[in-house]
mmCIF file with all atom_site columns, all heavy atoms in Angstrom:
data_model
loop_
_atom_site.group_PDB
_atom_site.id
_atom_site.type_symbol
_atom_site.label_atom_id
_atom_site.label_alt_id
_atom_site.label_comp_id
_atom_site.label_asym_id
_atom_site.label_entity_id
_atom_site.label_seq_id
_atom_site.pdbx_PDB_ins_code
_atom_site.Cartn_x
_atom_site.Cartn_y
_atom_site.Cartn_z
_atom_site.occupancy
_atom_site.B_iso_or_equiv
_atom_site.pdbx_formal_charge
_atom_site.auth_seq_id
_atom_site.auth_comp_id
_atom_site.auth_asym_id
_atom_site.auth_atom_id
_atom_site.pdbx_PDB_model_num
ATOM 1  N N   . VAL A 1 184 ? 10.941 -3.784  12.532 1.00 84.00 ? 184 VAL A N   1
ATOM 2  C CA  . VAL A 1 184 ? 9.739  -4.601  12.371 1.00 84.00 ? 184 VAL A CA  1
ATOM 3  C C   . VAL A 1 184 ? 8.890  -4.481  13.634 1.00 84.00 ? 184 VAL A C   1
ATOM 4  O O   . VAL A 1 184 ? 9.386  -4.620  14.752 1.00 84.00 ? 184 VAL A O   1
ATOM 5  C CB  . VAL A 1 184 ? 10.101 -6.062  12.086 1.00 84.00 ? 184 VAL A CB  1
ATOM 6  C CG1 . VAL A 1 184 ? 8.835  -6.902  11.907 1.00 84.00 ? 184 VAL A CG1 1
ATOM 7  C CG2 . VAL A 1 184 ? 10.967 -6.158  10.834 1.00 84.00 ? 184 VAL A CG2 1
ATOM 8  N N   . VAL A 1 185 ? 7.601  -4.197  13.451 1.00 88.00 ? 185 VAL A N   1
ATOM 9  C CA  . VAL A 1 185 ? 6.689  -3.911  14.568 1.00 88.00 ? 185 VAL A CA  1
ATOM 10 C C   . VAL A 1 185 ? 5.662  -5.037  14.710 1.00 88.00 ? 185 VAL A C   1
ATOM 11 O O   . VAL A 1 185 ? 4.912  -5.312  13.769 1.00 88.00 ? 185 VAL A O   1
ATOM 12 C CB  . VAL A 1 185 ? 5.966  -2.567  14.341 1.00 88.00 ? 185 VAL A CB  1
ATOM 13 C CG1 . VAL A 1 185 ? 5.008  -2.268  15.494 1.00 88.00 ? 185 VAL A CG1 1
ATOM 14 C CG2 . VAL A 1 185 ? 6.976  -1.434  14.172 1.00 88.00 ? 185 VAL A CG2 1
ATOM 15 N N   . PRO A 1 186 ? 5.601  -5.715  15.875 1.00 90.00 ? 186 PRO A N   1
ATOM 16 C CA  . PRO A 1 186 ? 4.624  -6.794  16.072 1.00 90.00 ? 186 PRO A CA  1
ATOM 17 C C   . PRO A 1 186 ? 3.186  -6.268  16.082 1.00 90.00 ? 186 PRO A C   1
ATOM 18 O O   . PRO A 1 186 ? 2.909  -5.173  16.582 1.00 90.00 ? 186 PRO A O   1
ATOM 19 C CB  . PRO A 1 186 ? 4.998  -7.377  17.438 1.00 90.00 ? 186 PRO A CB  1
ATOM 20 C CG  . PRO A 1 186 ? 6.385  -6.889  17.713 1.00 90.00 ? 186 PRO A CG  1
ATOM 21 C CD  . PRO A 1 186 ? 6.490  -5.553  17.030 1.00 90.00 ? 186 PRO A CD  1
ATOM 22 N N   . ILE A 1 187 ? 2.277  -7.083  15.535 1.00 92.00 ? 187 ILE A N   1
ATOM 23 C CA  . ILE A 1 187 ? 0.847  -6.762  15.532 1.00 92.00 ? 187 ILE A CA  1
ATOM 24 C C   . ILE A 1 187 ? 0.085  -7.963  16.094 1.00 92.00 ? 187 ILE A C   1
ATOM 25 O O   . ILE A 1 187 ? 0.307  -9.100  15.676 1.00 92.00 ? 187 ILE A O   1
ATOM 26 C CB  . ILE A 1 187 ? 0.336  -6.448  14.114 1.00 92.00 ? 187 ILE A CB  1
ATOM 27 C CG1 . ILE A 1 187 ? 1.009  -5.182  13.558 1.00 92.00 ? 187 ILE A CG1 1
ATOM 28 C CG2 . ILE A 1 187 ? -1.187 -6.278  14.109 1.00 92.00 ? 187 ILE A CG2 1
ATOM 29 C CD1 . ILE A 1 187 ? 0.652  -4.898  12.110 1.00 92.00 ? 187 ILE A CD1 1
ATOM 30 N N   . ASP A 1 188 ? -0.793 -7.707  17.046 1.00 93.00 ? 188 ASP A N   1
ATOM 31 C CA  . ASP A 1 188 ? -1.686 -8.738  17.573 1.00 93.00 ? 188 ASP A CA  1
ATOM 32 C C   . ASP A 1 188 ? -2.986 -8.654  16.777 1.00 93.00 ? 188 ASP A C   1
ATOM 33 O O   . ASP A 1 188 ? -3.774 -7.715  16.955 1.00 93.00 ? 188 ASP A O   1
ATOM 34 C CB  . ASP A 1 188 ? -1.944 -8.500  19.064 1.00 93.00 ? 188 ASP A CB  1
ATOM 35 C CG  . ASP A 1 188 ? -2.747 -9.622  19.711 1.00 93.00 ? 188 ASP A CG  1
ATOM 36 O OD1 . ASP A 1 188 ? -3.674 -10.139 19.049 1.00 93.00 ? 188 ASP A OD1 1
ATOM 37 O OD2 . ASP A 1 188 ? -2.459 -9.968  20.869 1.00 93.00 ? 188 ASP A OD2 1
ATOM 38 N N   . LEU A 1 189 ? -3.202 -9.615  15.889 1.00 93.00 ? 189 LEU A N   1
ATOM 39 C CA  . LEU A 1 189 ? -4.356 -9.549  15.001 1.00 93.00 ? 189 LEU A CA  1
ATOM 40 C C   . LEU A 1 189 ? -5.671 -9.751  15.757 1.00 93.00 ? 189 LEU A C   1
ATOM 41 O O   . LEU A 1 189 ? -6.705 -9.199  15.375 1.00 93.00 ? 189 LEU A O   1
ATOM 42 C CB  . LEU A 1 189 ? -4.222 -10.595 13.893 1.00 93.00 ? 189 LEU A CB  1
ATOM 43 C CG  . LEU A 1 189 ? -3.055 -10.391 12.928 1.00 93.00 ? 189 LEU A CG  1
ATOM 44 C CD1 . LEU A 1 189 ? -2.989 -11.536 11.930 1.00 93.00 ? 189 LEU A CD1 1
ATOM 45 C CD2 . LEU A 1 189 ? -3.174 -9.056  12.209 1.00 93.00 ? 189 LEU A CD2 1
ATOM 46 N N   . GLU A 1 190 ? -5.644 -10.549 16.823 1.00 93.00 ? 190 GLU A N   1
ATOM 47 C CA  . GLU A 1 190 ? -6.877 -10.817 17.569 1.00 93.00 ? 190 GLU A CA  1
ATOM 48 C C   . GLU A 1 190 ? -7.379 -9.572  18.281 1.00 93.00 ? 190 GLU A C   1
ATOM 49 O O   . GLU A 1 190 ? -8.582 -9.287  18.288 1.00 93.00 ? 190 GLU A O   1
ATOM 50 C CB  . GLU A 1 190 ? -6.642 -11.939 18.579 1.00 93.00 ? 190 GLU A CB  1
ATOM 51 C CG  . GLU A 1 190 ? -7.899 -12.333 19.345 1.00 93.00 ? 190 GLU A CG  1
ATOM 52 C CD  . GLU A 1 190 ? -7.677 -13.531 20.247 1.00 93.00 ? 190 GLU A CD  1
ATOM 53 O OE1 . GLU A 1 190 ? -6.622 -14.183 20.130 1.00 93.00 ? 190 GLU A OE1 1
ATOM 54 O OE2 . GLU A 1 190 ? -8.563 -13.816 21.053 1.00 93.00 ? 190 GLU A OE2 1
ATOM 55 N N   . THR A 1 191 ? -6.471 -8.808  18.877 1.00 93.00 ? 191 THR A N   1
ATOM 56 C CA  . THR A 1 191 ? -6.869 -7.606  19.607 1.00 93.00 ? 191 THR A CA  1
ATOM 57 C C   . THR A 1 191 ? -6.723 -6.340  18.766 1.00 93.00 ? 191 THR A C   1
ATOM 58 O O   . THR A 1 191 ? -7.103 -5.257  19.213 1.00 93.00 ? 191 THR A O   1
ATOM 59 C CB  . THR A 1 191 ? -6.025 -7.445  20.879 1.00 93.00 ? 191 THR A CB  1
ATOM 60 O OG1 . THR A 1 191 ? -4.637 -7.318  20.515 1.00 93.00 ? 191 THR A OG1 1
ATOM 61 C CG2 . THR A 1 191 ? -6.206 -8.646  21.786 1.00 93.00 ? 191 THR A CG2 1
ATOM 62 N N   . GLN A 1 192 ? -6.160 -6.484  17.541 1.00 91.00 ? 192 GLN A N   1
ATOM 63 C CA  . GLN A 1 192 ? -5.938 -5.344  16.652 1.00 91.00 ? 192 GLN A CA  1
ATOM 64 C C   . GLN A 1 192 ? -5.128 -4.252  17.360 1.00 91.00 ? 192 GLN A C   1
ATOM 65 O O   . GLN A 1 192 ? -5.546 -3.101  17.470 1.00 91.00 ? 192 GLN A O   1
ATOM 66 C CB  . GLN A 1 192 ? -7.255 -4.798  16.124 1.00 91.00 ? 192 GLN A CB  1
ATOM 67 C CG  . GLN A 1 192 ? -7.917 -5.691  15.084 1.00 91.00 ? 192 GLN A CG  1
ATOM 68 C CD  . GLN A 1 192 ? -7.136 -5.762  13.769 1.00 91.00 ? 192 GLN A CD  1
ATOM 69 O OE1 . GLN A 1 192 ? -7.023 -4.771  13.053 1.00 91.00 ? 192 GLN A OE1 1
ATOM 70 N NE2 . GLN A 1 192 ? -6.592 -6.936  13.457 1.00 91.00 ? 192 GLN A NE2 1
ATOM 71 N N   . THR A 1 193 ? -3.974 -4.664  17.873 1.00 93.00 ? 193 THR A N   1
ATOM 72 C CA  . THR A 1 193 ? -3.049 -3.731  18.515 1.00 93.00 ? 193 THR A CA  1
ATOM 73 C C   . THR A 1 193 ? -1.649 -3.986  17.971 1.00 93.00 ? 193 THR A C   1
ATOM 74 O O   . THR A 1 193 ? -1.329 -5.075  17.486 1.00 93.00 ? 193 THR A O   1
ATOM 75 C CB  . THR A 1 193 ? -3.017 -3.913  20.046 1.00 93.00 ? 193 THR A CB  1
ATOM 76 O OG1 . THR A 1 193 ? -2.722 -5.295  20.345 1.00 93.00 ? 193 THR A OG1 1
ATOM 77 C CG2 . THR A 1 193 ? -4.341 -3.535  20.679 1.00 93.00 ? 193 THR A CG2 1
ATOM 78 N N   . CYS A 1 194 ? -0.791 -2.957  18.044 1.00 92.00 ? 194 CYS A N   1
ATOM 79 C CA  . CYS A 1 194 ? 0.604  -3.122  17.646 1.00 92.00 ? 194 CYS A CA  1
ATOM 80 C C   . CYS A 1 194 ? 1.503  -2.664  18.791 1.00 92.00 ? 194 CYS A C   1
ATOM 81 O O   . CYS A 1 194 ? 1.057  -1.961  19.712 1.00 92.00 ? 194 CYS A O   1
ATOM 82 C CB  . CYS A 1 194 ? 0.922  -2.340  16.374 1.00 92.00 ? 194 CYS A CB  1
ATOM 83 S SG  . CYS A 1 194 ? 0.847  -0.541  16.530 1.00 92.00 ? 194 CYS A SG  1
ATOM 84 N N   . TYR A 1 195 ? 2.760  -3.082  18.730 1.00 89.00 ? 195 TYR A N   1
ATOM 85 C CA  . TYR A 1 195 ? 3.698  -2.831  19.820 1.00 89.00 ? 195 TYR A CA  1
ATOM 86 C C   . TYR A 1 195 ? 5.002  -2.241  19.291 1.00 89.00 ? 195 TYR A C   1
ATOM 87 O O   . TYR A 1 195 ? 6.005  -2.939  19.158 1.00 89.00 ? 195 TYR A O   1
ATOM 88 C CB  . TYR A 1 195 ? 3.976  -4.133  20.584 1.00 89.00 ? 195 TYR A CB  1
ATOM 89 C CG  . TYR A 1 195 ? 2.754  -4.704  21.254 1.00 89.00 ? 195 TYR A CG  1
ATOM 90 C CD1 . TYR A 1 195 ? 1.878  -5.519  20.557 1.00 89.00 ? 195 TYR A CD1 1
ATOM 91 C CD2 . TYR A 1 195 ? 2.464  -4.406  22.585 1.00 89.00 ? 195 TYR A CD2 1
ATOM 92 C CE1 . TYR A 1 195 ? 0.737  -6.031  21.169 1.00 89.00 ? 195 TYR A CE1 1
ATOM 93 C CE2 . TYR A 1 195 ? 1.333  -4.913  23.201 1.00 89.00 ? 195 TYR A CE2 1
ATOM 94 C CZ  . TYR A 1 195 ? 0.477  -5.724  22.489 1.00 89.00 ? 195 TYR A CZ  1
ATOM 95 O OH  . TYR A 1 195 ? -0.657 -6.234  23.084 1.00 89.00 ? 195 TYR A OH  1
#
Side-chain angles (χ1 to χ4, degrees):
V184 181
V185 180
I187 296 174
D188 186 322
L189 295 177
E190 183 175 349
T191 61
Q192 287 292 294
T193 54
C194 67
Y195 297 85

